[in-house]
């Protein structure tokens, strides 16, 4: 078997692992959200989301370094010796410990002050909100310390670990949801404590797995000054892009709290929960392909990394589209079945956030290719600077008393401009075939999406809302989407591969060996 065939087989195997995990977690996550919302109530659910999101704003520091750590570990795996890989991993651990200390100081001073004096939280829930804040800080630090271990698993492409540990995490969160009504203390505090304990146990599982499987984790903690300088240089420019992303998500959530209150935070939180469950199906494919893109770039295999970027962007969109269309069209009906109490703006937030995720699915592989080059200064100044506009624009819109939905609409437009900038920069840096990408990936994908929407929307207007209409729309949307993807979205070579796989499955079924 050739190296490329082996890598393709590995991508397929890892994708299966992650999709089984994601399907299971999606069902668990959506049901858990319903149980938690019903147990906590809309107001407490909104408080948990906005306080946890506020703590998540510290990720502008940690995530920028996480990107650097992931890139250097994957790059070293393709080109360096075991000793160098151990040095990279060890240095990453030391850097994350320092970052955690910085976050604790920042959180217990400025963040605590802002929580108690500027956030919109009912006076009788301030004590509970402070408990949530402290426990969210602990959870956040645990997740930061897990970053080098997760990067190591992705670099080695051992996605089965994510599958098994993720399933454990999903089951544990479901168990917690059912435990809330039996809380011996304040339900919101009790929920936060149990969520923190899950993070601790998950972190221990990842650490244990890595220490048994990967030699990079062996040895003493080292602090290589040159390596730190390189990582911080990469992370420094990455910080701009990370900050813009955090301000777009958690910063706008905070603005919504200030201008609209925790009930609208609950609506947005539900939308983000749905989006997290759905978008995982496309992001899983990107996670699998990401190390292959970095390794291909490291050894100078241009044809390979361009092919991976094209395919991963297109298939990420298609996988996401197959799930999004029925939800976008039937959002009101689905949410009425899913939730006992539906906060205002929930349906509209869900629809708009899914459209935003579809737009951004094109960019994920492009970003990883840009990061693989290590030359990210111009990229972060242009794209990160443009994304920073999301926060002040949202402030202006909310200050003008426009609908909170306008914050997502403006984000969608800015995301489209960012996609254009990424393609322009890739063409400038490495002569990336932008015209081919625009026609073969973006134009075809959007055309298929629009054509797949027309008939389900017509059915929605013609028929009364009920289970029959929902079932009919799912059948129409999926059948139409799959047909258009096959005849218009796939290349001839991709169709041949699909036919070969289908024929092999038929043979296995006939032989009874599947």
């Amino acid at each position: 078997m050739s190296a490329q065939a082996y890598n393709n087989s590995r991508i397929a195997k890892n994708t299966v692992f992650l999709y089984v995990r994601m399907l299971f977690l999606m069902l668990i996550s959506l049901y858990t959200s319903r149980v938690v919302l019903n147990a906590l109530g809309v107001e407490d659910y909104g408080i948990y989301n906005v306080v946890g999101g506020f703590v998540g704003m510290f990720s502008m520091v940690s995530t920028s370094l996480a990107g650097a750590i992931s890139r250097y570990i994957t790059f070293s795996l393709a080109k360096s010796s075991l000793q160098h890989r151990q040095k990279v991993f060890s240095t990453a651990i030391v850097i994350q410990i320092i970052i955690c200390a910085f976050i604790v100081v920042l959180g217990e001073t400025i963040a605590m002050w802002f929580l108690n004096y500027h956030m919109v939280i009912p006076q009788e829930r301030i004590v509970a909100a402070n408990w949530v804040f402290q426990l969210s800080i602990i959870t956040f630090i645990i997740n930061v310390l897990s970053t080098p271990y997760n990067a190591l698993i992705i670099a080695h492409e051992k996605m089965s670990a994510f599958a098994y540990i993720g399933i454990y995490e999903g089951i544990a969160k479901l168990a917690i949801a059912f435990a809330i009504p039996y809380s011996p203390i304040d339900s919101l505090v009790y929920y936060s404590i149990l969520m923190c304990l899950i993070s601790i146990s998950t972190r221990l599982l990842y650490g244990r797995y890595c220490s048994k499987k990967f030699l990079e984790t062996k040895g003493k903690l080292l602090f290589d000054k040159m390596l730190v300088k390189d990582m911080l240089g990469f992370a420094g420019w990455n910080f701009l892009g990370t900050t813009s992303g955090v301000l777009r998500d958690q910063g706008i959530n905070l603005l919504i709290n200030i201008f609209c209150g925790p009930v609208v935070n609950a609506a947005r939180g539900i939308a983000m929960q749905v989006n997290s469950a759905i978008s995982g199906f496309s992001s899983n494919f990107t996670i699998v392909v990401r190390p292959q893109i970095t390794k291909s770039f490291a050894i100078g295999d241009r044809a390979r990394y361009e092919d991976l970027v094209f395919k991963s962007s297109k298939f990420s969109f298609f996988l996401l589209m197959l799930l999004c269309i029925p939800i976008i069209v039937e959002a009101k009906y689905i949410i009425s079945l899913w939730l006992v109490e539906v906060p205002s703006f929930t349906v509209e937030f869900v629809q708009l956030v899914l459209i935003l995720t579809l737009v951004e699915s094109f960019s994920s592989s492009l970003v990883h290719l840009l990061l693989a080059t290590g030359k990210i200064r111009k990229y972060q100044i242009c794209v990160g600077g443009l994304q920073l506009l999301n926060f002040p624009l949202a402030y202006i819109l909310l200050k003008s008393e426009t609908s909170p939905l306008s914050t997502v609409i403006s984000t969608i437009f800015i995301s489209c401009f960012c996609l254009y900038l990424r393609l322009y920069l890739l063409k400038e840096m490495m002569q990336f075939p932008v015209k081919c990408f625009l026609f073969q990936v973006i134009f075809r994908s959007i055309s298929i999406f629009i054509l797949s929407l027309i008939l389900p929307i017509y059915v929605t207007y013609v028929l009364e809302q009920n289970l029959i209409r929902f079932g009919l729309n799912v059948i129409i949307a999926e059948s139409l989407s799959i047909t258009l993807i096959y005849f218009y979205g796939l290349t001839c070579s991709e169709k041949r591969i699909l036919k070969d796989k289908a024929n092999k499955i038929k043979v296995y079924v006939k032989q009874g060996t599947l």
Side-chain angles (χ1 to χ4, degrees):
M1 183 184 288
S2 67
Q4 183 165 327
Y6 173 76
N7 286 332
N8 289 339
S9 175
R10 179 184 256 186
I11 288 174
K13 180 181 176 182
N14 286 332
T15 302
V16 170
F17 271 121
L18 288 184
Y19 274 97
V20 170
R21 168 186 180 267
M22 196 62 237
L23 180 61
F24 181 82
L25 288 182
M26 183 185 74
L27 297 174
I28 291 266
S29 175
L30 294 177
Y31 185 69
T32 300
S33 298
R34 169 192 166 91
V35 176
V36 171
L37 178 61
N38 194 39
L40 292 180
V42 172
E43 189 172 76
D44 274 5
Y45 187 81
I47 290 170
Y48 182 81
N49 271 280
V50 73
V51 172
F54 180 47
V55 173
M57 290 184 70
F58 296 135
S59 65
M60 66 179 66
V61 179
S62 63
T63 307
S64 57
L65 275 166
I69 289 167
S70 181
R71 188 260 180 188
Y72 275 84
I73 287 176
T74 306
F75 211 88
S76 66
L77 196 63
K79 298 193 73 173
S80 307
S81 64
L82 173 61
Q83 186 178 4
H84 183 262
R85 297 203 304 269
Q86 287 175 328
K87 190 186 296 183
V88 171
F89 179 79
S90 178
T91 302
I93 291 288
V94 173
I95 290 174
Q96 293 298 75
I97 291 171
I98 295 170
I99 290 296
C100 286
F102 174 74
I103 289 170
V104 169
V105 172
L106 193 63
E108 297 300 332
T109 53
I110 297 172
M112 277 287 289
W113 165 78
F114 190 87
L115 169 70
N116 286 284
Y117 293 99
H118 290 279
M119 290 181 68
V120 179
I121 296 171
Q123 191 60 39
E124 66 273 14
R125 303 305 292 150
I126 283 291
V127 173
N130 275 273
W131 273 99
V132 172
F133 177 81
Q134 296 297 336
L135 291 162
S136 296
I137 286 281
I138 295 170
T139 302
F140 182 76
I141 288 170
I142 291 164
N143 291 333
V144 168
L145 292 174
S146 296
T147 298
Y149 295 92
N150 292 353
L152 203 56
I153 293 171
I154 292 172
H156 281 276
E157 301 179 62
K158 301 294 184 182
M159 303 306 172
S160 58
F162 277 123
Y164 297 136
I165 296 174
I167 288 172
Y168 153 76
E169 190 175 4
I171 293 172
K173 287 180 179 179
L174 180 61
I176 284 175
F178 284 119
I180 295 173
Y182 306 101
S183 169
I185 56 175
D186 184 279
S187 295
L188 183 56
V189 176
Y190 184 63
Y191 177 65
S192 301
I193 291 171
L194 294 180
M195 288 294 285
C196 182
L197 291 175
I198 286 180
S199 292
I200 293 171
S201 61
T202 303
R203 159 73 185 86
L204 292 173
L205 285 172
Y206 278 124
R208 179 65 176 165
Y209 177 85
C210 289
S211 63
K212 287 184 68 176
K213 295 289 183 179
F214 308 132
L215 295 175
E216 288 90 342
T217 61
K218 310 298 181 185
K220 299 178 181 179
L221 285 179
L222 301 172
F223 191 77
D224 188 289
K225 291 183 179 179
M226 287 302 297
L227 197 53
V228 169
K229 183 180 178 182
D230 288 343
M231 281 189 180
L232 290 180
F234 185 93
W237 289 111
N238 207 27
F239 178 77
L240 180 60
T242 302
T243 301
S244 64
V246 171
L247 286 176
R248 187 196 68 181
D249 296 332
Q250 306 305 339
I252 291 176
N253 197 35
L254 193 61
L255 289 177
I256 287 174
N257 173 259
I258 293 170
F259 286 101
C260 307
V263 173
V264 181
N265 283 126
R268 190 175 186 273
I270 291 164
M272 298 309 291
Q273 187 74 37
V274 173
N275 181 60
S276 177
I278 299 301
S279 63
F281 276 85
S282 63
S283 64
N284 277 339
F285 188 75
T286 307
I287 289 171
V288 171
V289 173
R290 188 171 71 194
Q292 291 282 334
I293 291 173
T294 305
K295 291 172 185 176
S296 298
F297 182 84
I299 61 175
D301 191 347
R302 181 189 180 106
R304 175 67 174 165
Y305 66 68
E306 284 185 357
D307 183 59
L308 286 171
V309 168
F310 270 66
K311 281 184 168 58
S312 59
S313 296
K314 181 167 63 175
F315 290 135
S316 292
F317 183 91
F318 289 155
L319 289 166
L320 195 58
M321 185 190 79
L322 288 170
L323 290 167
C324 284
I325 289 178
I327 297 174
I328 290 171
V329 173
E330 292 285 355
K332 187 176 181 180
Y333 180 70
I334 292 170
I335 291 171
S336 68
L337 289 177
W338 173 36
L339 301 177
V340 177
E341 186 176 0
V342 182
S344 301
F345 300 110
T346 300
V347 172
E348 295 84 357
F349 266 127
V350 168
Q351 293 169 326
L352 289 171
V353 166
L354 289 179
I355 290 171
L356 172 62
T357 303
L358 281 166
V359 172
E360 295 201 319
S361 67
F362 291 124
S363 293
S364 186
S365 295
L366 299 175
V367 171
H368 291 308
L369 180 56
L370 281 159
L371 294 178
T373 67
K375 301 173 183 178
I376 61 170
R377 181 178 66 177
K378 188 172 183 179
Y379 163 69
Q380 294 295 8
I381 289 173
C382 295
V383 178
L386 182 58
Q387 282 192 328
L388 280 174
L389 294 176
N390 279 299
F391 187 76
L393 185 56
Y395 177 82
I396 293 168
L397 290 169
L398 293 171
K399 185 76 172 176
S400 304
E401 299 183 357
T402 57
S403 167
L405 299 173
S406 62
T407 59
V408 188
I409 295 170
S410 64
T411 301
I412 291 171
F413 281 106
I414 290 176
S415 182
C416 291
F417 283 113
C418 287
L419 173 59
Y420 169 77
L421 269 178
R422 291 184 183 106
L423 288 169
Y424 174 81
L425 290 170
L426 277 173
K427 182 180 181 180
E428 187 180 74
M429 291 170 65
M430 58 180 69
Q431 295 301 306
F432 186 78
V434 171
K435 287 184 179 179
C436 289
F437 188 87
L438 286 170
F439 178 74
Q440 294 180 17
V441 178
I442 296 178
F443 177 75
R444 288 195 177 191
S445 299
I446 292 175
S447 300
I448 290 169
F449 174 68
I450 293 171
L451 291 171
S452 300
L453 270 176
I454 294 172
L455 191 54
I457 289 174
Y458 175 75
V459 171
T460 303
Y461 278 103
V462 170
L463 300 181
E464 186 181 346
Q465 178 179 287
N466 52 39
L467 184 59
I468 294 173
R469 191 189 77 179
F470 171 70
L472 183 61
N473 260 337
V474 170
I475 293 169
I476 291 172
E478 298 306 297
S479 302
L480 193 56
S481 298
I482 291 169
T483 303
L484 288 169
I485 288 170
Y486 181 80
F487 286 104
Y488 186 57
L490 301 183
T491 63
C492 293
S493 61
E494 288 164 353
K495 288 177 185 176
R496 274 198 304 272
I497 292 170
L498 193 62
K499 287 178 182 177
D500 290 342
K501 293 291 183 184
N503 290 332
K504 285 181 181 179
I505 291 172
K506 287 180 183 177
V507 171
Y508 290 146
V509 170
K510 287 180 181 178
Q511 295 175 348
T513 57
L514 185 64

